[in-house]
Amino acid sequence: MRSDINKKNYLQGRSPIGGWLYIYTMKRIFLVLAGILLLYTASAQKSLLAQDENNKYIYYQVVDQPNATKDSLVGKVNSFLHEAFKKSKRIQTGDSLFTVKDKFLTYSAFTFAKHESGEVDFVLNIECKDNKYRYWLTDFVFRPYYKDRYGMFVPENGIEIPLEKASSKLDKKDLEGYLAQTGAYCRQTGDNLKAFMIQNHQFSKANTQPARRVVTKKW
Amino acid sequence: MPADTGKVGTGADPKDPPLIFSGSVDTYWKYDFSGHSNIPTSFASDQNSVSIGMVDLGLKKKVGKAAFVGELSFGPRSDQSIPTSGYHIQNLYVSYDVTDKFNLTAGYMSTFIGYEVISPTGNFNYSTSYLFTNGPFQNAGFKATYAFSDKVSLMAGIFNNYWNTYTSFITHGNTTTSGDVSTFGAQLMVVPAKGWTAYLNLATGSFSGTELDLTTAYQITDAFKLGLNAADFSAPNNGGGFSGIALYPQLAVSKVVTFGVRGEYFTYKNGGGNVTGITVSSNIKAGAITLIPEIRFDSKSSAFPFAFADSNLAPTNSASQFLIAAVYAF
């Protein structure tokens, strides 16, 4: 309330030009802050991705779930994949490893006109043990879109760019945007998985910070 | 390149995509080495003038299985590409996904025929081919597309009796009345190999004539792409027609620069002469802007119906021009 009064007095004590300058200045400050926030968010999401032993981008987490048997976790993972990746190709290896191939859309970044800019193919793996499970998303391959004659954004046929090699093929700013969106997608997928897995289980704290360097052979 | 999958958007996102807004603007400078314009293909017609193409504004939205696209354009390139001044509509249609594989679409749409398109963002070369100039630009109608797999799909539809018209019509002497929806169109899309897409197109009707068209592109390596367009058109009532072929090799030499050539042979039927065009272009990316420097050489036969003149305004059978264009896409 007090700040509102001060603002009112400030405006009343100024000429129309002074008021305009105040609003102009506030607008500039707001835009700068919004820009900083946007860059910070993009940077934070990009940093969610680590690199594995083969220098491939990976989003990797191990989640402890005490009092849960492997079989019960396997059943839950099966249900989750059936619900969240209905149309995707799902493979079960052995009795506890699941693999899904899917893709998500990316959008043009840092522009007022938002439209699809491409899609990212990925592989999601989930593996279960007694009292814990792990999941990781990797094999990210970007396929750029172009605007076709019907005004639709569709894949450019035959162009597939692994994100690890994209720096030589894509504009730096565009690539940063795609990495940020990939990180955000991975985090969201992980959040959805964890929320599903703790249903009817006593909550256990997950390892929420992905490792910066990942060795996937030991867990 | 057409991609008539009949789909509005793809991907795994379960949510409806947002309202999508996109578009482009373009400007160019052209100089025909004779000192005046010669080459009669569509757009980029002004000589020694910094001129504008068009501003193109597109909106699309999909909710559930239903979608719409509305695309407006303004400027000289728009004026030369739409049938009725004041309408400014390039695409206006609604579509519905009956199933994941079966789509219905109705409205006014860019044609499914040919390699090149009206929007400069959809072409590698800024100037256009004779095949594009003489073929359809738009077709208003209703079409159904069925995707047998991600490698084969078939579109079939009925369209207004003439190309490039917002409404069907028939002319009797000085009188124009409503026409009919009598042009049949079909497109078979196949993907013979990874990175290779081919479209076999047919549009036929007693008013619009019959055009058979093959449009294909093959991304042979990461850097090299080869496109091809071949078409044959027969006008109704033995009124002539045209046929032609164009090749589009393109080589990316960096993530910023790509070079490409369009080599075209085009002939009018019934002794209407022929023309050969070689166009060398580069696409230089600078963020959202693509710069297109381009040089073009056309050589025609004497019977070709469009006259070329040299710098002394004497008739000649060859013409050449240089242009540089800037296209901003958003």
Side-chain angles (χ1 to χ4, degrees):
Chain A
M1 180 61 78
R2 184 167 181 171
S3 61
D4 288 343
I5 292 169
N6 288 340
K7 180 180 168 185
K8 191 177 177 184
N9 291 339
Y10 178 84
L11 283 171
Q12 284 175 340
R14 292 257 181 308
S15 65
I17 293 174
W20 181 85
L21 276 174
Y22 171 79
I23 292 168
Y24 178 76
T25 306
M26 290 304 289
K27 265 184 165 179
R28 293 284 295 265
I29 291 170
F30 175 76
L31 286 173
V32 168
L33 288 174
I36 291 169
L37 182 64
L38 197 64
L39 288 171
Y40 175 78
T41 305
S43 173
Q45 287 169 344
K46 177 189 170 187
S47 68
L48 291 172
L49 297 176
Q51 288 190 304
D52 68 7
E53 307 93 324
N54 302 312
N55 292 320
K56 295 180 79 168
Y57 280 118
I58 188 170
Y59 182 91
Y60 181 90
Q61 286 204 347
V62 178
V63 182
D64 295 325
Q65 192 147 323
N67 307 320
T69 64
K70 183 174 84 173
D71 288 345
S72 70
L73 292 174
V74 164
K76 283 216 157 216
V77 168
N78 224 335
S79 301
F80 171 78
L81 294 178
H82 186 72
E83 195 165 294
F85 295 91
K86 285 176 189 167
K87 296 176 182 174
S88 310
K89 189 178 177 185
R90 302 190 295 270
I91 300 169
Q92 182 171 355
T93 306
D95 61 351
S96 63
L97 175 61
F98 297 85
T99 302
V100 174
K101 291 184 178 179
D102 203 352
K103 61 189 175 186
F104 63 89
L105 289 175
T106 61
Y107 291 88
S108 54
F110 306 114
T111 152
F112 68 94
K114 185 180 179 184
H115 61 74
E116 305 97 319
S117 58
E119 63 188 33
V120 175
D121 296 337
F122 65 90
V123 174
L124 164 65
N125 299 283
I126 308 175
E127 190 170 18
C128 304
K129 284 184 177 178
D130 287 335
N131 302 318
K132 65 179 178 179
Y133 64 91
R134 65 172 179 168
Y135 66 92
W136 65 103
L137 294 93
T138 189
D139 291 335
F140 301 107
V141 178
F142 179 71
R143 298 178 67 196
Y145 277 20
Y146 73 100
K147 190 177 179 182
D148 72 4
R149 62 186 64 203
Y150 309 110
M152 311 300 304
F153 288 89
V154 295
E156 281 189 39
N157 203 11
I159 308 242
E160 296 180 351
I161 307 168
L163 281 185
E164 299 79 19
K165 299 175 181 173
S167 60
S168 63
K169 311 243 180 213
L170 298 175
D171 178 77
K172 185 182 174 187
K173 192 174 165 185
D174 291 339
L175 177 57
E176 285 176 355
Y178 301 146
L179 289 171
Q181 290 176 64
T182 301
Y185 180 88
C186 293
R187 184 173 62 182
Q188 184 61 53
T189 301
D191 289 348
N192 293 344
L193 171 65
K194 285 183 281 191
F196 193 94
M197 297 295 280
I198 62 170
Q199 287 175 3
N200 301 323
H201 276 279
Q202 190 173 359
F203 178 75
S204 60
K205 189 176 178 183
N207 290 328
T208 51
Q209 291 301 318
R212 301 307 312 140
R213 192 79 188 179
V214 171
V215 178
T216 57
K217 292 185 172 55
K218 292 181 180 178
W219 62 295
Chain B
M1 277 295 299
D4 197 354
T5 60
K7 296 288 182 190
V8 177
T10 61
D13 291 352
K15 291 181 292 188
D16 290 326
L19 178 67
I20 299 293
F21 179 56
S22 65
S24 67
V25 299
D26 60 295
T27 183
Y28 70 96
W29 175 82
K30 182 188 84 169
Y31 190 82
D32 188 297
F33 296 113
S34 69
H36 49 265
S37 288
N38 272 313
I39 295 171
T41 51
S42 297
F43 317 140
S45 51
D46 294 349
Q47 165 70 10
N48 196 13
S49 166
V50 177
S51 292
I52 56 175
M54 68 180 188
V55 55
D56 184 56
L57 303 168
L59 277 177
K60 74 176 179 113
K61 174 69 179 171
K62 184 173 188 182
V63 177
K65 295 181 174 183
F68 82 87
V69 169
E71 187 178 0
L72 305 174
S73 60
F74 302 87
R77 190 177 181 109
S78 169
D79 293 343
Q80 292 169 34
S81 66
I82 59 177
T84 309
S85 61
Y87 269 56
H88 302 290
I89 291 170
Q90 296 285 354
N91 278 294
L92 197 165
Y93 63 84
V94 294
S95 73
Y96 188 81
D97 292 334
V98 181
T99 69
D100 285 349
K101 295 186 173 186
F102 187 49
N103 173 269
L104 300 174
T105 302
Y108 184 76
M109 297 157 277
S110 285
T111 187
F112 53 94
I113 286 177
Y115 191 92
E116 298 182 17
V117 298
I118 293 166
S119 169
T121 60
N123 296 330
F124 186 86
N125 310 102
Y126 190 76
S127 70
T128 56
S129 67
Y130 290 93
L131 282 168
F132 170 78
T133 299
N134 288 274
F137 284 3
Q138 296 104 350
N139 299 102
F142 169 78
K143 64 182 182 182
T145 305
Y146 187 81
F148 296 95
S149 69
D150 57 356
K151 292 185 170 58
V152 181
S153 72
L154 179 67
M155 179 279 286
I158 49 172
F159 301 89
N160 284 353
N161 58 338
Y162 287 110
W163 306 338
N164 313 340
T165 62
Y166 291 119
T167 56
S168 66
F169 69 93
I170 297 174
T171 303
H172 305 281
N174 293 328
T175 307
T176 299
T177 61
S178 60
D180 56 27
V181 188
S182 59
T183 297
F184 171 76
Q187 179 180 69
L188 175 66
M189 187 280 291
V190 293
V191 180
K194 189 176 180 183
W196 183 9
T197 310
Y199 302 85
L200 185 60
N201 304 307
L202 169 71
T204 183
S206 56
F207 292 93
S208 58
T210 298
E211 180 157 357
L212 189 61
D213 173 275
L214 172 66
T215 294
T216 182
Y218 189 13
Q219 188 75 43
I220 298 171
T221 69
D222 282 352
F224 184 66
K225 177 182 177 181
L226 182 62
L228 180 145
N229 184 204
D232 180 88
F233 172 69
S234 298
N237 307 316
N238 297 318
F242 63 81
S243 59
I245 186 168
L247 269 176
Y248 299 82
Q250 289 158 17
L251 180 67
V253 295
S254 75
K255 66 180 179 183
V256 173
V257 179
T258 303
F259 290 101
V261 175
R262 176 182 56 216
E264 181 183 22
Y265 176 78
F266 178 90
T267 181
Y268 284 115
K269 292 180 177 176
N270 299 342
N274 61 71
V275 63
T276 301
I278 302 291
T279 306
V280 181
S281 307
S282 178
N283 280 194
I284 304 165
K285 303 271 185 193
I289 292 179
T290 302
L291 286 174
I292 311 175
E294 176 179 301
I295 190 160
R296 176 168 178 167
F297 305 94
D298 283 22
S299 177
K300 70 179 187 67
S301 66
S302 297
F304 194 68
F306 298 94
F308 291 173
D310 65 17
S311 55
N312 298 315
L313 297 179
T316 180
N317 282 333
S318 61
S320 53
Q321 67 178 35
F322 171 82
L323 70 76
I324 183 161
V327 179
Y328 186 100
F330 55 89

